[in-house]
Amino acid sequence: MPYKLVKRRNPQDPEGPQKWYATPNSSAPLNEKEMVQDATEFTTLSPMEFRAAIELLAAYVPRQLKQGHTVKVPGLGTFRISFKSRGADTPDAFNVQEMIYDVRIIFIPEAGFREQVLLNFEFVDGGVREDGVDYASREAYKKAKSGQSA
């Protein structure tokens, strides 16, 4: 997993000094055609069948979540809705539109899926970002900075 070092302030200590933090340096996802071909490469499933199954799942999950169901996708994990709520003094004083907020979709991966993703997981230097400038690696950053006058 590539990461990039970024200099910023700690949100819990906004007055403190800036420090270097690692952030994921994810590459762009495969386009739909590439993803479908890659996923079906060593299977008897046709790319069209796979695409149809993914589209059905993508339509099914939101429908179930909106009905208040938790959705377990075998081999992948579980989706559920979570939200925060302000309190009301009485049930009649509770206003749904004003008091429920921060609605989120939570995904909890199955143990096997999580293990498969994290098995032999490694971090790779993806560079440094400082003042909006991206450097390809820490070495490139050091070289660029050593050439500057102090």
Side-chain angles (χ1 to χ4, degrees), residues 2-74:
Y3 68 91
K4 186 173 292 245
L5 294 177
V6 178
K7 194 172 187 180
R8 64 175 181 239
R9 297 199 188 284
N10 180 340
Q12 275 110 22
D13 185 14
E15 301 302 317
Q18 289 189 339
K19 293 186 179 181
W20 292 99
Y21 294 89
T23 60
N25 192 17
S26 301
S27 57
L30 296 175
N31 67 41
E32 182 180 333
K33 184 178 180 181
E34 292 169 329
M35 188 267 302
V36 168
Q37 288 177 338
D38 189 46
T40 59
E41 184 175 11
F42 299 109
T43 73
T44 58
L45 192 65
S46 78
M48 188 179 299
E49 292 169 320
F50 180 77
R51 183 179 294 116
I54 294 296
E55 288 173 3
L56 286 170
L57 182 64
Y60 174 78
V61 171
R63 219 173 36 243
Q64 293 298 304
L65 292 173
K66 287 178 182 180
Q67 293 176 14
H69 298 285
T70 295
V71 181
K72 182 173 182 169
V73 180

Side-chain angles (χ1 to χ4, degrees), residues 107-119:
F107 173 72
I108 301 167
E110 279 192 1
F113 177 75
R114 181 177 168 77
E115 289 168 10
Q116 187 176 4
V117 170
L118 298 179
L119 181 69

Side-chain angles (χ1 to χ4, degrees), residues 99-135:
M99 301 182 110
I100 293 179
Y101 65 100
D102 198 18
V103 178
R104 296 176 183 226
I105 301 168
I106 307 294
F107 173 72
I108 301 167
E110 279 192 1
F113 177 75
R114 181 177 168 77
E115 289 168 10
Q116 187 176 4
V117 170
L118 298 179
L119 181 69
N120 300 321
F121 196 85
E122 293 182 14
F123 291 101
V124 178
D125 183 356
V128 175
R129 178 179 297 133
E130 183 179 44
D131 299 327
V133 178
D134 287 326
Y135 300 90

Side-chain angles (χ1 to χ4, degrees), residues 88-94:
D89 294 329
T90 66
D92 288 338
F94 189 84

